[in-house]
Amino acid sequence: MGLFGKMFGKDKDEKKSCCCEMEIVEAPEDEETTDACGCGRGCEAPFGDAVTLTVLGPGCKRCHELNDNALAVAVKPGRTVNVEYVTDPIAIAEAGIMSTPALLVDGKVVSQGKVLTAAEIEGLL
């Protein structure tokens, strides 16, 4: 036992964990789910049909406007659309973005340096 263990009263017999006292518990699978993807939240579209829109930008007014337009497309019925908003400069550089705001559809860059309207984004899907 180290010095800090003696000072703070940790015993040698304590169960060692990786970093915290968190316990991993598997949730039981319910075979009677009515949704298509099996998440239990009543999804109508299969998981594979979901489209992910990623808005990349530092958080400026134009970036927020593109994010709002992407969210407007996501709430329309008929398609499962997930929207992510990334402001991390390292992630933006790793995506190869040279001018913001940028929009990615399922990880592919479709627009840079332009605020697309909701209709334009819907046309890309």
Side-chain angles (χ1 to χ4, degrees):
M1 184 183 306
L3 176 66
F4 290 110
K6 289 179 184 178
M7 289 177 57
F8 295 110
K10 291 190 178 186
D11 296 332
K12 287 184 182 181
D13 297 334
E14 269 188 37
K15 182 180 175 184
K16 294 184 180 181
S17 66
C18 61
C19 63
C20 59
E21 299 299 322
M22 185 184 332
E23 180 180 345
I24 298 174
V25 178
E26 285 190 33
E29 290 189 27
D30 184 13
E31 294 180 13
E32 297 181 17
T33 56
T34 59
D35 56 44
C37 70
C39 70
R41 293 182 289 187
C43 297
E44 295 176 11
F47 185 73
D49 289 345
V51 176
T52 302
L53 296 176
T54 307
V55 177
L56 300 170
C60 62
K61 179 181 176 184
R62 292 171 37 119
C63 300
H64 284 291
E65 187 177 344
L66 180 60
N67 187 48
D68 292 341
N69 292 343
L71 289 172
V73 170
V75 297
K76 291 186 179 181
R79 176 176 285 151
T80 304
V81 179
N82 302 315
V83 179
E84 299 174 348
Y85 186 31
V86 178
T87 59
D88 181 26
I90 296 172
I92 294 170
E94 287 176 350
I97 303 301
M98 298 303 289
S99 99
T100 59
L103 180 69
L104 281 67
V105 177
D106 289 333
K108 295 180 183 177
V109 179
V110 295
S111 172
Q112 290 188 50
K114 182 180 177 187
V115 178
L116 298 176
T117 64
E120 291 172 326
I121 294 171
E122 196 168 354
L124 294 171
L125 301 179

